[in-house]
Amino acid sequence: MKRTAEVILSIVGAVVYAGLAIVGIFIRMIGSNEDIKNDVTSEMINEDPTMSAQEVNDLLDVVGGLGWYVIVVSIIAIILGIVAMFMLKGNKMPKAAGIILIVTAVISTIATAFMGLFCALFYLIAGIMALVRKPPRTVEM
């Protein structure tokens, strides 16, 4: 039985996770750029005068750390997706691949605070298809 649909959905999911990793890289770049930090700090202080510059800088440091976190979670999801694709290729271990895809989808969605929800949908659909699809039965006479 061919698992082309599951493999394609996994590839699309991995590509979208790569896009999420790029978003994490941009978040990280914004968090480490001093000019942007100064602009955001002055803007936030103008919006809420009760905030201090140190509080805004702490918030921006957290955002920069979030960028690294999103990058790491995305890369792990991509690696697990590739492992599942190899398991699906040739119909070697479709049940294990389906479980890996579903678990990766759920955990990465929760770990990224639902930023990876769109990415995870591809893995989730591929995982469900891998578990549900059965080879056609042959009738012997």
Side-chain angles (χ1 to χ4, degrees), residues 7-30:
V7 172
I8 290 173
L9 283 169
S10 298
I11 290 170
V12 171
V15 168
V16 178
Y17 270 114
L20 184 63
I22 291 170
V23 168
I25 291 169
F26 282 127
I27 290 171
R28 184 68 193 133
M29 287 172 46
I30 288 170

Side-chain angles (χ1 to χ4, degrees), residues 83-102:
V83 168
M85 283 183 250
F86 281 114
M87 294 171 121
L88 286 169
K89 192 82 171 154
N91 204 22
K92 293 176 191 155
M93 295 183 273
K95 297 265 188 230
I99 292 169
I100 288 172
L101 288 169
I102 291 171

Side-chain angles (χ1 to χ4, degrees), residues 35-113:
D35 292 334
I36 294 174
K37 273 187 169 182
N38 292 336
D39 290 343
V40 170
T41 301
S42 63
E43 186 66 33
M44 289 184 77
I45 290 174
N46 288 338
E47 290 287 325
D48 186 7
T50 61
M51 287 187 91
S52 69
Q54 183 61 37
E55 290 174 332
V56 175
N57 284 332
D58 291 343
L59 179 64
L60 292 175
D61 289 339
V62 169
V63 169
L66 176 69
W68 277 117
Y69 185 71
V70 169
I71 293 168
V72 170
V73 170
S74 297
I75 290 173
I76 291 171
I78 291 168
I79 291 170
L80 289 173
I82 291 170
V83 168
M85 283 183 250
F86 281 114
M87 294 171 121
L88 286 169
K89 192 82 171 154
N91 204 22
K92 293 176 191 155
M93 295 183 273
K95 297 265 188 230
I99 292 169
I100 288 172
L101 288 169
I102 291 171
V103 169
T104 301
V106 171
I107 291 176
S108 67
T109 300
I110 294 169
T112 60

Side-chain angles (χ1 to χ4, degrees), residues 3-15 85 101 119 121-127 129:
R3 298 282 183 174
T4 307
E6 290 93 332
V7 172
I8 290 173
L9 283 169
S10 298
I11 290 170
V12 171
V15 168
M85 283 183 250
L101 288 169
C119 312
L121 286 176
F122 292 105
Y123 277 9
L124 185 64
I125 293 168
M129 285 176 66

